[in-house]
Amino acid sequence: MNTRPAAEIQLTIDGHPISVPAGTTIFDAARVNGIPIPTLCHQQNENPVGVCRVCVVDVGQRVYAASCIRQVEPGMTVKTATGPVQAARNTLVELLMSDHPAPCARQQQSGDCELERMAGAAGITEPRFPHRATPRGKDDSSAVIAVDHDACILCDRCVRACNDIRHNMVLARRGKGYQAGIAFDNNLPMGSSSCVSCGECMVSCPTGALTNRIVVRTDLGVGEPFRPEELQHLPVFKNVSGTFLQLNQKALVKRRFKAGEIICREGDFGSTAFYILEGKVEIFLSSPMAHVTTKGSSKGMLSKVSSNLTKRGQDRRSEEGHRHTIPIDAPVDLPYDSPVAELGPGELFGEMTCMNFYPRSATVRAVTDCVMVEMLRNVLDIMLRNKTFRAQMERAYRTRALDSHLRSVPVFSTLTNDFIDQLRNRVELVRYAPGSVICKQGDPADSFYLVRIGFVKVSEERPGGHLVLAYLARGGYFGEIAFLSGTNRTATCSALDHVEVVKIRGEDFKVMLDRFPEVRRGLQDVAKERVESNRIRAERMGSQSLSPTASARSLARWWPTLPRNRMC
């Protein structure tokens, strides 16, 4: 079947007769014929939007036309570089520069800010118009991409890169007029959004609004560098921009370990994580499991204090003495009686050390010859935001670690296998950047949480001020009291550092309480101890009287005269 060729349109651009197919834009017609027209919002092979207007040309009408969206017409005469056209473009550039911090991050790092380069070519050094900084400023929540809203010129190139090229649907415009800007999801910080760190938005940005967070220094030691094309063949970097990987290639290396070789040691400080490509490792504790007991005696003004190591189970708090596993910086916990576990290809360890710069929690040794990726925090963040890798991590957690994680909390030790199996495909792993609020005092309760990585701060607003109630690490949990009492959240829980929690839906948690009365009783007993501890702490801090609230009165169904509780 023959297809009729598109009709040719004859026109003139800057005195040159040109013939192009019908439907061609003036911008494309000029470009294919070697006539440059400047632009900021349009890139080759993109759907044009005509928002920057820097590409204006004279088509012999009352107003200038944006060449990226205006299609050619028969007999059209186009002028792209007359004095008045250049003056109009310069005014547009000057207006954009008036709201642009110069030099921006891109200009400082690589000298290729398209707006500042255009301003320099036009001789614009100091805009005549007053500078108006946006109220949003900088966003440093992402480990790999630095965001400066002041440098954004609303060209929408990042929006099209995210949505049209990568189909991630994270970026969009927000607000109107001067308050307009680019937002991630529902106007969240980039680090807390559903951004997968593919880097396409950063590569597309013409200014310093989105730039790579440069790795100034590495502690990677000996290793083989990866080529960007080699990285793109690894499933964990699928759909990540090649340019973005090239910018971050110094933040990861390929490491090879012989069988029996130590990869990292318990107690060492580090800043890297390891992803196993080939081979197996064993992860174990070098130090014996014990705890310190302190005994003191007082004679007059002098006191004598002695500390001793005692075995597990001796002189321990009841909740701690019943733990069966030891939390470590890996996708598994270690059994108390035999603290050793194996990891294989596709598994990650050292995540907490890498993200939060904590000491290594265990020693890792190669069981067989191994090949793995050692990476710094910015590359780990790219991996953890990769949808394929996240799905793989969640599957591994549900299959391998959910049982031990739940049962490592004494009050959940009686949960049956069939109930945990019901939870496997319903729990969700959720990440939070430092300072992010996980649940807020006064909000309705919709979920119960287990801490998997990092530390969570629990605080409460009282008439006497802000009171920090506790810090929770792996094995800690929060969110149960609102379900027990039938009230809203009574405290705010926020991420102290990079945190990942296991989110159990409210309906599943309520089923747990109904099916397992011993779990309900255990949670009530633990909460009662915590409440009393916090009451004493508040009194010592000189807080105002902890008079009963609606929440306390509701909880008094189980605990008479109970003051406000510690957890949310």
Side-chain angles (χ1 to χ4, degrees):
M1 178 176 167
N2 293 328
T3 302
R4 179 179 298 176
E8 291 287 314
I9 300 295
Q10 309 296 323
L11 71 155
T12 300
I13 301 181
D14 290 345
H16 301 284
I18 288 172
S19 177
V20 293
T24 303
T25 64
I26 297 173
F27 182 89
D28 287 337
R31 179 175 57 84
V32 297
N33 284 277
I35 302 172
I37 297 178
T39 182
L40 287 169
C41 70
H42 183 52
Q43 287 181 296
Q44 186 177 346
N45 300 324
E46 271 190 355
N47 293 324
V49 291
V51 294
C52 77
R53 316 304 280 190
V54 173
C55 68
V56 293
V57 294
D58 183 353
V59 294
Q61 297 181 347
R62 185 175 59 87
V63 295
Y64 292 154
S67 63
C68 67
I69 56 174
R70 181 67 178 270
Q71 294 184 357
V72 297
E73 298 173 3
M76 178 181 278
T77 298
V78 179
K79 299 175 183 178
T80 70
T82 64
V85 168
Q86 293 283 20
R89 286 181 189 151
N90 291 348
T91 300
L92 289 166
V93 170
E94 189 176 5
L95 285 166
L96 290 171
M97 282 294 295
S98 69
D99 290 338
H100 180 81
C104 66
R106 183 177 300 275
Q107 189 68 13
Q108 292 178 46
Q109 292 175 11
S110 53
D112 65 343
C113 170
E114 294 179 30
L115 174 61
E116 293 188 45
R117 191 166 56 201
M118 199 174 288
I124 300 170
T125 55
E126 189 67 32
R128 294 168 292 168
F129 311 106
H131 175 73
R132 300 176 300 172
T134 69
R136 303 173 74 196
K138 295 183 178 180
D139 174 5
D140 293 322
S141 60
S142 169
V144 293
I145 299 176
V147 182
D148 185 355
H149 291 286
D150 284 348
C152 178
I153 59 173
L154 291 175
C155 65
D156 287 351
R157 275 162 58 169
C158 61
V159 175
R160 283 168 285 160
C162 180
N163 301 337
D164 298 345
I165 298 175
R166 294 295 180 184
H167 307 291
N168 288 322
M169 305 301 177
V170 178
L171 280 164
R173 279 204 182 203
R174 61 171 286 280
K176 295 181 179 179
Y178 181 61
Q179 296 298 321
I182 297 300
F184 304 92
D185 290 337
N186 189 22
N187 201 24
L188 295 174
M190 189 181 201
S192 302
S193 72
S194 60
C195 168
V196 298
S197 292
C198 71
E200 198 68 46
C201 62
M202 184 204 73
V203 173
S204 299
C205 180
T207 70
L210 297 166
T211 54
N212 184 56
R213 300 193 72 167
I214 297 296
V215 179
V216 177
R217 169 180 171 272
T218 71
D219 297 315
L220 294 179
V222 179
E224 304 171 33
F226 282 98
R227 300 185 306 276
E229 60 272 17
E230 184 181 6
L231 289 173
Q232 286 186 298
H233 284 93
L234 296 177
V236 293
F237 296 117
K238 183 180 179 182
N239 294 327
V240 176
S241 162
T243 304
F244 193 50
L245 289 175
Q246 187 174 8
L247 288 168
N248 288 281
Q249 63 182 337
K250 292 184 178 180
L252 75 167
V253 292
K254 184 188 295 183
R255 297 293 303 274
R256 300 180 187 273
F257 297 91
K258 295 291 185 182
E261 190 175 352
I262 296 295
I263 298 166
C264 58
R265 294 185 183 277
E266 177 185 351
D268 287 352
F269 281 88
S271 58
T272 62
F274 296 85
Y275 177 72
I276 304 172
L277 296 175
E278 300 173 16
K280 290 184 179 180
V281 303
E282 65 176 0
I283 186 165
F284 60 94
L285 299 182
S286 303
S287 305
M289 290 306 300
H291 69 283
V292 176
T293 58
T294 302
K295 296 180 180 179
S297 61
S298 177
K299 293 182 180 181
M301 296 182 64
L302 301 176
S303 62
K304 181 180 179 182
V305 178
S306 63
S307 297
N308 299 286
L309 286 176
T310 62
K311 295 181 180 179
R312 178 177 177 262
Q314 297 179 359
D315 196 25
R316 297 277 282 177
R317 290 180 297 169
S318 59
E319 186 173 356
E320 289 296 323
H322 289 87
R323 291 189 182 275
H324 301 293
T325 58
I326 306 162
I328 57 171
D329 189 9
V332 294
D333 291 338
L334 300 182
Y336 257 115
D337 298 332
S338 180
V340 179
E342 272 197 359
L343 302 177
E347 294 192 282
L348 178 77
F349 63 92
E351 182 180 350
M352 192 168 176
T353 295
C354 183
M355 295 300 290
N356 297 319
F357 306 112
Y358 294 150
R360 304 286 183 190
S361 61
T363 298
V364 183
R365 178 169 52 210
V367 176
T368 66
D369 290 352
C370 295
V371 180
M372 55 187 70
V373 180
E374 185 178 8
M375 71 204 78
L376 289 168
R377 176 177 156 189
N378 55 338
V379 174
L380 176 60
D381 189 81
I382 296 171
M383 292 176 62
L384 292 176
R385 291 175 177 274
N386 182 291
K387 293 177 180 178
T388 303
F389 183 69
R390 286 296 298 171
Q392 174 186 327
M393 290 276 289
E394 292 206 13
R395 281 195 303 271
Y397 174 81
R398 292 187 178 106
T399 303
R400 187 165 183 182
L402 178 61
D403 307 57
S404 62
H405 193 173
L406 276 170
R407 292 196 172 101
S408 70
V409 182
V411 293
F412 300 132
S413 60
T414 59
L415 294 177
T416 59
N417 291 334
D418 66 308
F419 182 75
I420 294 178
D421 286 340
Q422 291 178 27
L423 287 179
R424 287 194 198 282
N425 294 322
R426 296 178 64 83
V427 299
E428 182 183 358
L429 298 183
V430 186
R431 300 177 67 218
Y432 293 92
S436 300
V437 172
I438 302 172
C439 59
K440 189 176 182 180
Q441 181 177 345
D443 286 351
D446 61 353
S447 301
F448 169 79
Y449 302 90
L450 290 166
V451 182
R452 193 182 91 83
I453 289 176
F455 285 89
V456 173
K457 181 178 75 173
V458 183
S459 60
E460 188 175 21
E461 292 297 331
R462 296 175 178 265
H466 181 82
L467 178 64
V468 176
L469 302 177
Y471 296 99
L472 305 177
R474 183 181 173 109
Y477 58 87
F478 57 97
E480 79 283 1
I481 293 299
F483 292 106
L484 290 171
S485 64
T487 63
N488 290 343
R489 303 285 191 196
T490 61
T492 295
C493 295
S494 55
L496 191 64
D497 48 20
H498 288 273
V499 166
E500 184 169 274
V501 297
V502 182
K503 183 177 180 180
I504 300 177
R505 300 174 188 174
E507 55 265 33
D508 295 323
F509 185 70
K510 290 176 182 177
V511 170
M512 180 194 300
L513 295 179
D514 292 340
R515 282 188 55 182
F516 302 95
E518 64 277 17
V519 171
R520 180 187 289 271
R521 287 193 296 270
L523 288 171
Q524 291 169 356
D525 292 342
V526 171
K528 184 177 180 180
E529 293 177 8
R530 292 169 171 171
V531 167
E532 179 62 18
S533 174
N534 286 307
R535 183 186 66 79
I536 295 171
R537 180 183 295 109
E539 288 180 351
R540 288 175 177 172
M541 292 179 63
S543 299
Q544 295 186 10
S545 175
L546 306 181
S547 59
T549 62
S551 171
R553 288 193 294 271
S554 180
L555 288 171
R557 286 180 291 175
W558 298 287
W559 315 314
T561 68
L562 185 70
R564 275 187 90 172
N565 55 75
R566 157 205 182 285
M567 300 288 283
C568 59

